Amino acid sequence: MCGIFGYVSNDDTVKVKKIRSIIKSSESRGKDASGLVVGSKEINESYNYDVFKIDQPIKKLINSQNINLNAKFIIGHTRLITNGSSDNQPVISENALIIHNGIVTNEDELWNEIEQTPKLSIDTEIILKYLEFKINSESNLENICEELLTKIEGTISIAVLLPKLGKLILLSNNGSLFLNTTETTTYFASENYTLEKENLINNIQLNNNFKIIDIPNGEIILKDDIKSRKNNLIPEFIYNSPDEKLLEYSQPDLLRCKKCILPNTMPFITFNDDGVCNYCTNYTPRNNPKPKELLLNELEKYRRQNGPDCLVPFSGGRDSCMGLDIIINELGMKPITYTYDWGMVTDLGRRNISRMCSKLNVENIIVAADIHKKRDNIRKNIIAWLENPHLGMVNIFTAGDKHFFRYVEKIKKQTGINLNIWSVNPLEVTHFKAGFLGMPPAFLEDKVYYNGVSKQLKYHSLRFREMLNSKKYFNLSIFDTLQGEYYRSFMQKNDYYHLFDYWKWDEKICDQTLLGKYDWEKAPDTNTTWRIGDGTAAFYNYIYYTVAGFSEHDTFRSNQVREGDISRDEALSLALDENKPRFQNLRWYLDCVDLEFSDVISRINKIPKLYETNI
């Protein structure tokens, strides 16, 4: 996934300032790598399309190569790496070139159809090879474009350069490509705002559509492909049996509530004479939505005759995916989805984002963090935590994702959309995470997260006190952490609705819909569909289970028991299975943050348990 952009003109008055601004705006979608194609006429009157690639942000590419932005032809991309980190875009063949925003989810099927094998690790290659295969047997480019839209699954927004044919193809199957066209010039970008802020208005959105533009005939010339990154942003999974054997999975015989499955290691837990815990006796049903009609009435003031009318925060997890289905097919809204990628969205999560947006023809706006920086922050905090392990500080590993809330308001302004609809699961209440820090459970709190200034100040004072026990917490990540907490907990939020305040969340319907209707992808190392798009979940749940004998799976299943959705026996069985260590996810996570798997896991295993062992 990335930002793609371009400029094709017959006009001699090229606006360099405008081009630079479009490039800079596109960079918000990814800074992991970049590429440019620049048209240039040689002294002998031949026309070349010079290609520059680098595994660094596009600003460094332009400066290092001293690229002339006065050209009449420029296309490029700023990349958020999803797969194929060593094979950067543009992807080039002998007669064609492509830049691609999105993820192809049926590439194996397409390779089989054309009876070829991939030479690169990047999914973009199949789009180019499939198109070339069709060109060899079909001269009509319009027919080929129509076939691309029907055959390729997953999101594709592409610019394809065919210099020998003198054509540039612009195509999108989910609306993440906008064009501004005059008699002499065409600009394009992944987001409408990128063009509008340059006073390019009345833009055309390509959604299941394409445009073919005439360009000068010429040759593709690869000028530079700079690969300077030492670490792999997408570590290859290497199965190592000895490493997997390091993972502990004891099943301690804990005293548990007679009604739910919470154990006696849960912070602030007490049991009455009947053996029922205070979390049960103080529980108020949460999955008890208001009438749908109330939400439908509220939405009337936001509906638009034309164009999108709501913004949907979209992580690619099962609840945001189910929410998107309801928002479109039940509420009749026309959303734009927004994803904040902070480096811990798994490839599986990204592929499910691609599946949903493709099948529902929904634009997906991506805001990508500086992934290297975010992962380095996580690394520093894990090192600090291992120095003095404390369960109340585990939450700091996920502090970097809270900027999700920051960009919602920014994108609302850019798109002119006021309404945002969140799909937060009402049963994802995890009192224990703050409880281990010393915060008593707020049984009357109606939100998943703590709200209110006084609660937040108390929480952060407890966190600060614990940080003093490991001075390594005082690193550069602290500024990112504090900013994220502000945007989540203190920033004023307007025109903000929770879908599941009005719609009953049902796990069986959710799984049936996603797996059956959208061919949603499950993780290979767990049977649950929950948290599989989140790269951090397997790690922090391994810590909680290993040290305390339970994880957020136990609290989630306990909430389902209290709601009457499942039986206690079923909850015990599910939690027993879901608490098994997820080796593949754990290995991926620790490789991403450049920490040695065996060292980290061994140190976690040595942390004193909160329960008695037979050792």
Side-chain angles (χ1 to χ4, degrees), residues 323-462:
L324 184 63
D325 175 85
I326 293 170
I327 289 164
I328 292 174
N329 295 317
E330 301 289 345
L331 300 181
M333 302 297 289
K334 301 184 291 293
I336 291 176
T337 58
Y338 147 63
T339 301
Y340 178 62
D341 198 316
W342 67 295
M344 286 299 146
V345 178
T346 64
D347 268 7
L348 182 151
R350 289 165 170 168
R351 288 193 295 272
N352 282 332
I353 289 171
S354 184
R355 284 183 175 87
M356 296 293 295
C357 290
S358 171
K359 288 180 180 291
L360 291 168
N361 300 124
V362 175
E363 179 187 354
N364 180 226
I365 293 178
I366 303 163
V367 176
D370 184 329
I371 287 179
H372 177 77
K373 181 179 178 181
K374 286 282 190 179
R375 290 179 176 175
D376 190 51
N377 287 344
I378 297 170
R379 180 178 181 274
K380 290 173 180 174
N381 285 327
I382 292 176
I383 291 172
W385 185 85
L386 288 170
E387 187 177 85
N388 185 42
H390 189 288
L391 294 184
M393 292 298 292
V394 172
N395 256 359
I396 205 166
F397 305 152
T398 60
D401 73 345
K402 304 304 182 289
H403 289 260
F404 202 116
F405 298 85
R406 169 188 180 184
Y407 291 103
V408 168
E409 298 303 317
K410 183 177 181 179
I411 293 173
K412 284 166 68 176
K413 291 178 181 178
Q414 291 178 353
T415 58
I417 296 173
N418 293 322
L419 171 66
N420 58 125
I421 305 177
W422 294 71
S423 303
V424 178
N425 190 320
L427 303 185
E428 291 184 7
V429 182
T430 51
H431 295 294
F432 70 91
K433 294 179 181 179
F436 280 124
L437 200 56
M439 287 283 287
F443 292 121
L444 299 179
E445 177 66 60
D446 62 350
K447 303 296 183 186
V448 171
Y449 301 109
Y450 280 113
N451 281 272
V453 174
S454 61
K455 292 176 184 176
Q456 284 297 318
L457 289 177
K458 181 178 180 181
Y459 175 77
H460 287 291
S461 67
L462 291 169

Side-chain angles (χ1 to χ4, degrees), residues 241-348:
S241 183
D243 277 354
E244 185 173 15
K245 291 178 181 178
L246 291 173
L247 296 172
E248 291 185 355
Y249 181 54
S250 60
Q251 298 174 34
D253 185 16
L254 301 176
L255 173 66
R256 293 182 183 268
C257 174
K258 298 297 184 182
K259 181 176 181 181
C260 72
I261 64 171
L262 292 186
N264 60 341
T265 52
M266 179 82 175
F268 295 98
I269 197 167
T270 60
F271 299 95
N272 64 20
D273 293 341
D274 296 322
V276 177
C277 74
N278 54 326
Y279 287 87
C280 284
T281 57
N282 286 282
Y283 189 79
T284 300
R286 304 177 62 87
N287 197 13
N288 187 22
K290 307 169 190 175
K292 298 175 185 177
E293 290 72 24
L294 293 178
L295 178 59
L296 290 167
N297 289 338
E298 284 291 314
L299 296 181
E300 287 305 313
K301 60 187 176 186
Y302 298 102
R303 294 186 188 275
R304 296 176 177 176
Q305 290 294 324
N306 298 302
D309 48 22
C310 68
L311 183 68
V312 176
F314 196 54
S315 68
R318 70 177 182 186
D319 297 322
S320 67
C321 288
M322 185 64 196
L324 184 63
D325 175 85
I326 293 170
I327 289 164
I328 292 174
N329 295 317
E330 301 289 345
L331 300 181
M333 302 297 289
K334 301 184 291 293
I336 291 176
T337 58
Y338 147 63
T339 301
Y340 178 62
D341 198 316
W342 67 295
M344 286 299 146
V345 178
T346 64
D347 268 7
L348 182 151

Side-chain angles (χ1 to χ4, degrees), residues 48 69 72 115 131 142 189 218 233 240 258 324 363 435 453 465-466 498 502 517 579 592:
N48 290 340
L69 298 180
K72 294 182 180 180
E115 298 181 341
L131 187 145
E142 292 189 356
L233 292 180
N240 187 325
K258 298 297 184 182
L324 184 63
E363 179 187 354
V453 174
R465 184 184 67 184
E466 189 55 41
H498 285 283
Y502 303 88
K517 188 175 179 180
N579 281 323
C592 280

